[in-house]
Amino acid sequence: MTNHEQDSQVYQCEPSTSGSWQTITGRQSEVGGITVSRTLPTRNRRMIGPWVFLDHLGPVRFSAGQQGLQVGPHPHTCLQTFTWMLQGQIRHRDSLGSDQILRPGEVNLMTAGWGIAHTEESVPAKHAIDLESLQLWLAMPASQAAAAPDFQHYAQLPVLLQHGWQGQVLLGEFSGQQAPGQAYTPTVAVDWQLPASSTGVLPLNPAFEYGVYVISGRVQLDHQPLAARTLGYLPPGQQQVELQALEESRVLLLGGAPFSEPVTLWWNYVGHSKAYISAAQADWERGSGRFGEIPNPVAEPMAGPPVPWAPQK
Ligand code: MN
């Protein structure tokens, strides 16, 4: 997915040095009639481990024959896009030649490194379709800023059963189960489906900070209420957390070692300097070949807003 913000703020993401419990409420916006709720980055919380971006798209119902989602070619650098479908299907195409339909229960992990471009579009259907997904970005360390781009699709992910809860390990390792995707700093993501009135304790890595994002339902996290579309932040140092589902709920547990380098996020780029991002945008604008091309894209390439800082020498 893409950052549609026309004002496209610059976020300086500093490594976490200390922290306390936070509740982050998503900023709701509408993009082409689709509700998008963004909980990262926000003013008070820029990163959780390497995770710098969390958008919840939909749910939205497209009637039969409607075009649906059509996101034209746009660039990314120095980040990994991580897409988790909740309902419906999205077709991903990128400048490496990948062409992949993503369904619920599967992960697309695209590594931008030095640069990649991609498109995302609804899959045509003869009936109405509900579309809902989570789109996350992981910052890549400076050592990977010039890495070759890559795209991976994972249809098989480890399943966990704990406290009568079903979990799916989407990235990293949880309770001895290792997901296949590769991140560049220690991290974890687990999707949990919680029956109503269930309670359990999840083991945590005290070296990690965590976010618990409520996809749907209503939970209590260590006795703190957390509504749908909010993110609870847990600082490093916790051995475990108690999670109670007040109704049938679905949550995404995100975590990682606090990122050790400051990063800058602007539009669809992550970088370790403004000069790197300015150069990336200049390369995209003049079609330098850095990002490659996607034949017959679903929509026009996105130009992107002007870089909001003065040129740097
Ligand atoms: Mn994108």
Side-chain angles (χ1 to χ4, degrees):
M1 211 59 59
T2 178
N3 188 353
H4 291 275
E5 285 180 345
Q6 280 312 298
D7 57 351
S8 228
Q9 289 185 54
V10 181
Y11 288 100
Q12 300 292 348
C13 307
E14 300 292 335
S16 302
T17 48
S18 65
S20 53
W21 220 96
Q22 279 181 312
T23 303
I24 299 152
T25 303
R27 275 179 293 140
Q28 303 269 356
S29 61
E30 285 261 321
V31 179
I34 304 174
T35 303
V36 178
S37 178
R38 180 167 302 164
T39 37
L40 285 178
T42 52
R43 190 182 300 273
N44 296 321
R45 173 58 46 192
R46 307 290 168 87
M47 295 185 94
I48 299 176
W51 303 95
V52 286
F53 188 89
L54 170 51
D55 260 6
H56 185 164
L57 177 111
V60 57
R61 174 159 295 181
F62 296 115
S63 53
Q66 246 186 316
Q67 274 193 330
L69 186 75
Q70 302 217 303
V71 180
H74 61 277
H76 289 292
T77 57
C78 206
L79 60 83
Q80 294 180 285
T81 65
F82 174 99
T83 312
W84 178 235
M85 291 306 295
L86 301 169
Q87 299 185 70
Q89 302 181 359
I90 284 178
R91 179 185 179 195
H92 159 97
R93 291 198 293 148
D94 64 42
S95 48
L96 299 173
S98 314
D99 186 347
Q100 179 65 56
I101 290 177
L102 182 66
R103 300 175 178 85
E106 307 173 344
V107 161
N108 274 1
L109 184 63
M110 183 178 80
T111 301
W114 178 242
I116 195 167
H118 72 143
T119 62
E120 289 151 300
E121 60 197 278
S122 288
V123 178
K126 291 186 174 140
H127 49 86
I129 288 179
D130 292 323
L131 192 70
E132 185 178 15
S133 73
L134 299 182
Q135 169 78 39
L136 298 100
W137 299 350
L138 299 91
M140 295 172 72
S143 63
Q144 301 298 319
D150 183 48
F151 173 79
Q152 298 292 330
H153 171 75
Y154 300 106
Q156 300 290 332
L157 298 160
V159 172
L160 299 167
L161 275 176
Q162 290 185 8
H163 319 295
W165 299 349
Q166 183 175 308
Q168 236 181 323
V169 187
L170 312 185
L171 198 61
E173 180 269 338
F174 194 90
S175 286
Q177 299 288 320
Q178 179 76 44
Q182 191 202 345
Y184 291 86
T185 60
T187 187
V188 69
V190 185
D191 176 283
W192 289 104
Q193 306 207 32
L194 318 174
S197 306
S198 59
T199 301
V201 170
L202 295 177
L204 301 180
N205 178 345
F208 280 13
E209 53 187 350
Y210 288 90
V212 175
Y213 179 69
V214 183
I215 298 167
S216 61
R218 196 161 55 95
V219 304
Q220 290 208 88
L221 188 65
D222 276 346
H223 308 284
Q224 305 275 343
L226 212 52
R229 293 175 182 264
T230 59
L231 177 68
Y233 170 78
L234 302 170
Q238 279 193 225
Q239 302 274 357
Q240 59 181 45
V241 68
E242 187 190 283
L243 192 54
Q244 180 180 13
L246 301 175
E247 54 190 77
E248 185 181 337
S249 300
R250 187 164 184 186
V251 303
L252 180 69
L253 175 72
L254 292 174
F259 212 69
S260 59
E261 309 164 71
V263 299
T264 299
L265 187 154
W266 176 74
W267 194 42
N268 287 307
Y269 304 115
V270 164
H272 293 268
S273 70
K274 286 183 173 173
Y276 175 94
I277 292 177
S278 303
Q281 178 62 356
D283 284 343
W284 175 249
E285 284 173 348
R286 67 190 169 90
S288 73
R290 173 174 178 170
F291 296 97
E293 288 196 6
I294 298 150
N296 307 313
V298 61
E300 287 294 305
M302 293 182 185
V307 173
W309 54 78
Q312 297 186 333
K313 295 201 171 141

